[in-house]
Structure formats: C-alpha cells, structure tokens
Amino acid sequence: MEKRLRLAPSPTGLLHIGTARTALFNWLYAKKTNGKFLIRIEDTDLIRSKSEYTTNILDGLNWLGLYWDEEPIKQSKRISIHKNIIKKLLEIGAAYRCFTSESEILELREKQQKNGLPPKHDNRHRNLSSKEIKEFISQGKSSVIRFKIDEEAEIKWEDQIRGEIKWKGKDLGGDLVLSRRALDYEIGDPLYNLAVVVDDNFMNITHVVRGEDHISNTAKQILIYKALNYKLPIFSHTPLILNIEGKKLSKRDSITSIDEFKEMGYLPESLVNYMAFLGWSIKDPKSEILSLSEMSQIFNLSDVNKAGAKFNWEKLNWINSQHIKNMELIKLSRLIKKYWNDNGWESPSTEWDLKLTNLIRDSMILLKDAIDQAKPFFTLSKMQKEGQEFLKSKKEAKESLRSVLCYLKEENISKINSDNAREIINKISIENSIKKGILMKSLRIAFFGCLSGPDLIQSWELFSENETDIMRIERCLI
Ligand code: GLU
C-alpha cells in the first residue's frame, strides 16, 4: 500500500526549524518508500493564523527542496465536515454537551492545585438529561462538546521511533473538548484533536510523524479514531531540538526561522543535510555530506533517536562550507553574484566571476563570506602596516615591483594568465637577482595591502582582467 505522510503546520508564525525538520523526516520517509508527502495547513485558529505565514511556510519548504505531491489542503475549508463528525459522535453517545463555565473550570483547577493534583476535568455533565440540557440552554449558557474518555482505557501503540508507548485514560485530563463554546444547540468551531483525526483519515495518511510534544495528543486521538471506526496510522514522535543549554529550542533562541538561516548565508542543501542529523544517526556513514536524494535512499524512521538533539552551530557551519566546496561552480557563482551586485560591484565578465568564485570558495563558510573574500578584487585594499613596513625594510621590494612594471611594458604584456605569470616571476628574479619569495610577497602587498590572501598567480590573473594590477603595483612606488 502506498505510504502517505503529511506535514500539518499551523500558519501562526514563520517556518521554524523544528517544523522544517519534521517536514524533512516526513519527506525523507515518503521518498524512501516511493510514497507521497502532503501538506495540510491547519488554519482554523482564525485569530492567530495569517495567510502571509502560509506563504512563508510553503516558500520555505520549496526553498529547502521539500516539494509536496498533492495540492495542499486548508483545514479551514473543512470546518462544516468536522462539525458533522462531532454531531455523529454526539449521536452515538461518544460525546456530550458540557456547560461548565470558564469560572467553574478555574475554580476546579485552583482546588486541584491546592491539593497538588494535575488539572483534570471532572466530567460533571457527562450524564445530563435532555431536560437539564434544555434548561441550561434556556438560561443562555454556552456549551462545548466533550469526548468521553474512559478512565480505565489502556492506550497502546508501537511508535516507530520510541517503540511501545502506553498511556492510561485516567491520565488524559478528563473528557476531551472537541469544539469551542457555542450557544443554543449549535456546535462551536472544532479543535485540533478532532480536526486532525478527521483530516488524516480523509487524506488517507498512513504514517504520522511529528514532534514528541504531541505524544499525549496521540493517545487522545487514538480514542477518537476508535470511536469513529477509522483505520489507525502508524505513529512516530521525533525528538525535540535543544538549544546549547539543553532546553527546547524556542523563538527566544536568537535564530530559529528558516528565513533567518537563508539570510545568514546558509545553503538549503546544507540546512537539510544538517537538520537530518538533528535526531537521525546513519549507520556506517561513508560521508556526512549528503544530498536530499542520497539521504532519502538510506533514511529510516527506526534510526531516529529518542533523545533530544542539541543544535550545534559549528557542525552546521562545517556542513555549509563542504556544500559550498562541492557545489557546481556556475550555480555557486550565480548565488554569490547577488551579494556582489548588492554592493554595487561590477565584474568584467561571467568568466571572471567563475574564476573568482573558484578562488575564494574554499575559504567560505557562509555565502555572505563572498563579500569579504571578494572585496579586494573589486575595491582597492588599504595598505596595511605590515605592507608598508615590508616595502620600507626590504630594499628589493620596490625594485622588484619596478622591474615587473618595466617587463610588462617592454614585453607588451597586458593580460596575465597562470603560464606567463610564472614566467615573468622567474625571469625577473633571475635577471635582477631578486629572491622569488620577495618578489611574490611584494606583489601580494601591492594587490592586497598585506601579506595574506588567496593564491597569488590566480589573483594576478583576475586583477589583470579587470585592469587594476598595474595601478595596484604603481601605488607602492610613489
Ligand atoms: N498543527 C499542528 C502543529 O503544528 C500539527 C501537529 C500534527 O502534526 O498533528 O503542531
């Protein structure tokens, strides 16, 4: 049977790393099994849900490469269906109308708190007669619909990540509220636990993979599945993502939305690669640098750990640098070019962009590092103290640069490439008895204003192509 998995995000905020990681695990398992990855937007909280968040979530998943296989479903379009199912539960006696007011609930909680008990509804209206219901309604009291939870029930399921999970009916907080308050005989807006069961059944979801914070919801939902005679999906509960202190990663931890990672210069390839390791351990990895499709071939829910996964920036940075190193040059260059354009930097040709990209890619961790690394090629670097001192203290330094200029003029060389650059350096050093090391250091200082920087010959080639090499050398001679 085809496996069908889904992500069911609530559009009440930007796409968060936790939701993205849940999406990834669902996607990987769907692809691994040739199944389907679907999306349901749980937008029934009309106050907190915003369409811009839906757009942000879908755009973020798209950017990460986690494409879905069928048109996303909006839960808000199915409210009347959810209400009909609630009606059915009322009819079969699995649910009932409860008139307990907010203040009565508060009173009950306070009492329980005083006695050191967890909050639990006392199911006081489970057996109201139709006459009593009529009376409450005529008094103008609003009601919710509660689902009967059998105190004696033993709920058990085989979790693909955690093994057998057991839950007792008496630990589920009393009869479960299925809908918001409404007046008369109306049914208020259905709530999460009811809607999720009805919709997962409607979408023929075979595997529910979601965060461990939903474990107690799963126990409640299994009871609803049974009451409605629906086929149960297989459940998996993923570990939490923890911050450096070992606490659940939350919005208070500086960076959590996928947009922010993108903004910082992480590649989608790196983020999905890193997120997979937030919980998943591959047996005998040949390499930790993996593409989505490579991961989908070896992914298994049973290899996901139970323990929380600590977020590790160093590892993410390392993975990003590896993906930058391995990326197709044209693709990387196109991404980097955006950063250069934003700085108003113009390059002589696409060829030149590719060469510069190749020159700096090994020293980049984030895409935006392309700004600092490429800056000396677009703007004249300031002469640093070490450069000034070198030019002053080594008498052959200026002499070697003067010889380079003369040579270029005499030989009429205007374009440098790796072959003639080596030849020029060799010849000048032999003819003028200047050590090659000094000549190269002097050129480096002319180009970069200091003694560090990328490969000298390749850099010279680039400076010559944007016609700034002569000017850089000349500035050292005045
Ligand atoms: N809307 C719920 C959430 O975002 C969905 C949980 C589930 O996957 O059932 O937490």
Side-chain angles (χ1 to χ4, degrees), residues 336-370:
I336 282 179
K337 184 104 178 126
K338 281 201 206 99
Y339 290 86
W340 295 344
N341 287 345
D342 288 349
N343 275 280
W345 293 342
E346 278 172 34
S347 64
S349 66
T350 312
E351 266 308 292
W352 190 88
D353 293 340
L354 292 175
K355 283 186 205 164
L356 180 53
T357 303
N358 201 35
L359 183 62
I360 62 173
R361 61 152 59 176
D362 283 356
S363 43
M364 287 169 58
I365 290 175
L366 300 169
L367 279 181
K368 68 174 182 196
D369 291 340

Side-chain angles (χ1 to χ4, degrees), residues 6 8-10 42 192 196 210 214:
R6 73 355 177 231
S10 307
E42 301 208 321
Y192 163 71
V196 79
R210 59 186 169 205
H214 282 290

Side-chain angles (χ1 to χ4, degrees), residues 6-10 19 22 40 42 75 192 196 200 208-211 213-214 217 221:
R6 73 355 177 231
L7 179 77
S10 307
T19 311
T22 303
R40 180 175 66 243
E42 301 208 321
Q75 194 162 57
Y192 163 71
V196 79
D200 280 340
V208 170
V209 179
R210 59 186 169 205
D213 43 336
H214 282 290
N217 282 332
Q221 289 167 23

